[in-house]
Amino acid sequence: MTNPSTMPAFSPAFTWGVATSAYQIEGAADIDGRGPSIWDSFTHTPGTIIDGSTGDVACDHYHRYVDDVGIIAALGVKAYRFSVSWSRVQPMGYGDWNEKGFEFYANLLDTLEAHGIAAHLTLYHWDLPQALQDLGGWLNRDTCLRFAEYATEVARRFGHRLASIATHNEPWCTANLGYGNAQFAPGVADTALSIQVSHHLLLSHGLAMQAMRTIHCPAKLGIVLNQWPAMPATASAADIAQAEWEYARSVQWFMDPIFKGCYPQKALDRMDMSQFHVHPEDMDIIHQPLDFLGVNYYFRAFVSTENPPRLPEGKLGFTDMGWEIYPSGLTDLLLKLNAEYPDLPPIYITENGMAVADEMEDGKVHDEQRILYLQLHLQALHAAMQSGVDVQAYFYWSLLDNFEWNSGYARRFGLVHVDYQTQQRTLKDSAYWYRDFVRTQLSYR
Ligand code: IFM
């Protein structure tokens, strides 16, 4: 294990943080006027979640946020990324606001401020109010307007207290897993529809950006995208072409509209556009300047056209999600983005982390694998920055073990172990390593 003090030195101004999202930790699903979201409906549908669990209680963060912020403070990080549950602050997704819901986030911000921790808020981490789903969800263009109203209200109330606001987290997942293969809420499996959903997500991002700029929101504004470099399994022309297509339909599909104002032709050529409706003004709306780009990095795409496909060797192994551990993919991805998009704003690594089947031994969790994962990814990040990529923040995913969507509680990503029976939190060895690493980095200031 590398001693934190022998890790490369980042800029003294670099932001170190941890990340979570509302449905994965808050619990309190029907308390204080919160309305149901599509994830409440989905998890309560038998057969959707591998361990049959729900986010009804999750980490009970709604009642334990003071202690949880205390843990963040103990880690010594100065930034916390979290999301707002839309249906907690606006139960229907339109109409009345729920003051009790806003009170929770105001209290959370008070607690973060008391510890000197900067707040980075995400507006949409997948939990659409069910009442909007009943009107068509992200297939209904009106949802984009409702989202802009919601963004305006959150920015109006909290913008001056936030370091940043991200419109969406990983719209690729909402579109492809929520509407493409039914792994996520709302559980639709229709590729053509998923493409239209991706357009509406981008449109809603653009409308929300415009609306938040109109009220002069002082927080930095941006979006969070999950991305991966796509690498051909062999040097064959077929594998190379397939990797380019994979990259176009996943990474460029979201990046090009935002930074270039158009969809990538390479992707359009091979997609089912039968249900695709774009209004003439849409691309200008989506093409808004950003203050930051959030990048979530977990793995590379290893692309093979053979049957059966070639699989990656996984020299560093695979996580419990089955994801290949491939730190240099982060360097490759960042360099590629930097080269392709001249208008790229500063990048925040808004998520990066590993699921391991951690076990408690005498009140301790010795998660060496996660420490190694962290070290290697931070070194890969540093390499990209040395080559000129402007990265300003890193958030480990996740602060706590939490509800991992369709994997339920069966996957643990946290720096902090959660016993779901007692809600007891235990710092893992990786939490201590990250604390010591951050302490060393901050001492360069
Ligand atoms: O837990 C998720 C998170 O909600 C979004 N990004 C990926 C994480 C790990 O799967």
Side-chain angles (χ1 to χ4, degrees), residues 300-350:
R300 66 170 167 170
F302 187 78
V303 184
S304 168
T305 53
E306 289 173 36
N307 191 10
R310 282 186 194 230
L311 298 174
E313 273 179 56
K315 283 197 188 123
L316 294 169
F318 297 83
T319 73
D320 264 20
M321 299 295 283
W323 298 343
E324 186 192 14
I325 301 173
Y326 198 78
S328 64
L330 176 59
T331 319
D332 296 344
L333 172 70
L334 293 174
L335 292 177
K336 201 165 156 57
L337 296 177
N338 212 33
E340 276 173 23
Y341 299 97
D343 296 333
L344 206 60
I347 291 176
Y348 300 169
I349 303 300
T350 31

Side-chain angles (χ1 to χ4, degrees), residues 24 125-126 169-170 296 298 321 323 351 397 404-405 413:
Q24 292 179 274
H125 201 119
W126 308 348
N169 180 73
E170 304 184 347
N296 293 354
Y298 288 95
M321 299 295 283
W323 298 343
E351 286 182 29
W397 182 273
E404 177 53 29
W405 307 112
F413 275 89

Side-chain angles (χ1 to χ4, degrees), residues 94-423:
Y94 55 87
D96 292 343
W97 302 106
N98 178 27
E99 292 307 324
K100 287 296 275 184
F102 278 119
E103 204 178 290
F104 167 70
Y105 295 106
N107 292 340
L108 175 63
L109 292 177
D110 287 346
T111 314
L112 290 167
E113 280 164 17
H115 286 284
I117 298 167
H120 293 257
L121 181 150
T122 301
L123 289 164
Y124 188 79
H125 201 119
W126 308 348
D127 42 359
L128 190 77
Q130 181 59 44
L132 283 181
Q133 187 63 38
D134 296 341
L135 298 174
W138 288 111
L139 279 168
N140 182 347
R141 202 177 154 91
D142 281 350
T143 299
C144 306
L145 303 175
R146 301 294 82 76
F147 181 71
E149 289 162 5
Y150 158 60
T152 310
E153 187 63 14
V154 173
R156 188 182 70 72
R157 293 183 184 234
F158 295 142
H160 60 291
R161 305 180 67 181
L162 299 169
S164 78
I165 300 179
T167 53
H168 283 277
N169 180 73
E170 304 184 347
W172 182 93
C173 292
T174 306
N176 290 278
L177 307 182
Y179 283 82
N181 65 16
Q183 280 183 24
F184 282 8
V188 178
D190 185 320
T191 309
L193 295 184
S194 76
I195 298 170
Q196 185 62 32
V197 164
S198 68
H199 178 67
H200 284 162
L201 293 168
L202 282 163
L203 180 63
S204 72
H205 157 78
L207 289 168
M209 289 293 297
Q210 286 181 330
M212 292 190 288
R213 297 277 191 222
T214 301
I215 61 163
H216 305 291
C217 176
K220 303 250 187 254
L221 305 180
I223 189 168
V224 171
L225 304 176
N226 53 324
Q227 302 193 331
W228 43 77
M231 302 189 178
T234 69
S236 76
D239 282 359
I240 291 171
Q242 188 69 16
E244 284 175 3
W245 143 249
E246 165 58 31
Y247 187 74
R249 77 179 188 94
S250 52
V251 176
Q252 293 171 328
W253 184 258
F254 292 93
M255 288 292 285
D256 283 15
I258 293 170
F259 292 105
K260 298 181 176 172
C262 58
Y263 282 102
Q265 193 56 46
K266 199 171 269 172
L268 289 170
D269 287 347
R270 287 168 63 176
M271 288 171 83
D272 175 0
M273 307 313 284
S274 57
Q275 316 257 350
F276 198 49
H277 304 290
V278 176
H279 291 203
E281 68 276 18
D282 290 0
M283 299 317 290
D284 283 345
I285 295 172
I286 296 168
H287 187 198
Q288 300 293 317
L290 303 189
D291 300 323
F292 74 94
L293 170 69
V295 171
N296 293 354
Y297 176 76
Y298 288 95
F299 48 75
R300 66 170 167 170
F302 187 78
V303 184
S304 168
T305 53
E306 289 173 36
N307 191 10
R310 282 186 194 230
L311 298 174
E313 273 179 56
K315 283 197 188 123
L316 294 169
F318 297 83
T319 73
D320 264 20
M321 299 295 283
W323 298 343
E324 186 192 14
I325 301 173
Y326 198 78
S328 64
L330 176 59
T331 319
D332 296 344
L333 172 70
L334 293 174
L335 292 177
K336 201 165 156 57
L337 296 177
N338 212 33
E340 276 173 23
Y341 299 97
D343 296 333
L344 206 60
I347 291 176
Y348 300 169
I349 303 300
T350 31
E351 286 182 29
N352 173 238
M354 174 183 196
V356 189
D358 299 311
E359 300 208 348
M360 292 275 284
E361 285 171 43
D362 298 332
K364 295 194 162 49
V365 180
H366 302 301
D367 55 343
E368 283 91 8
Q369 286 168 280
R370 184 173 286 104
I371 296 175
L372 183 63
Y373 181 100
L374 251 168
Q375 287 171 0
L376 294 174
H377 284 81
L378 292 174
Q379 284 162 352
L381 172 59
H382 190 260
M385 293 170 68
Q386 290 295 102
S387 300
V389 187
D390 182 10
V391 184
Q392 299 190 353
Y394 174 92
F395 295 83
Y396 180 79
W397 182 273
S398 178
L399 167 66
L400 303 170
D401 290 339
N402 60 44
F403 178 77
E404 177 53 29
W405 307 112
N406 60 337
S407 302
Y409 298 99
R411 303 284 179 270
R412 292 182 178 269
F413 275 89
L415 292 172
V416 176
H417 182 274
V418 177
D419 178 330
Y420 295 109
Q421 302 305 316
T422 62
Q423 290 296 345

